[in-house]
Amino acid sequence: MEMKQGLHQLDSSHTFLAMGMSSFVLFPILLIVTPMMLAKTLHETSSTVLLQIPQFAYVTYGIGLLLLTVTFFC
């Protein structure tokens, strides 16, 4: 079996592996940083901001976390 010159066949799989690992590292950071950046950009005041979240939102967040976890393992 002779090797081709230039890029190897597995280079695309290594690229997708690197993208997957970087998204695995960046998603938790973005989930923490992005809401704070949006809140400071849109609602920056000198007083305290009171944020009221409906109880159903926690169910939605849980379903989203479950889907992210399932997607990671598929």
Side-chain angles (χ1 to χ4, degrees):
M1 181 176 235
E2 85 184 56
M3 290 287 289
K4 296 178 183 177
Q5 291 288 355
L7 293 176
H8 192 265
Q9 290 182 13
L10 299 177
D11 283 340
S12 62
S13 66
H14 290 136
T15 302
F16 289 122
L17 176 66
M19 290 185 338
M21 293 302 290
S22 62
S23 66
F24 179 67
V25 171
L26 290 177
F27 275 147
I29 296 169
L30 291 176
L31 285 173
I32 293 170
V33 172
T34 305
M36 288 189 295
M37 286 177 21
L38 285 174
K40 287 183 179 183
T41 302
L42 298 176
H43 305 292
E44 183 66 35
T45 60
S46 59
S47 64
T48 304
V49 175
L50 178 63
L51 182 63
Q52 295 179 346
I53 300 174
Q55 191 173 11
F56 182 71
Y58 292 111
V59 175
T60 307
Y61 294 155
I63 292 171
L65 180 63
L66 178 70
L67 290 175
L68 278 174
T69 306
V70 168
T71 304
F72 175 72
F73 287 112
C74 286

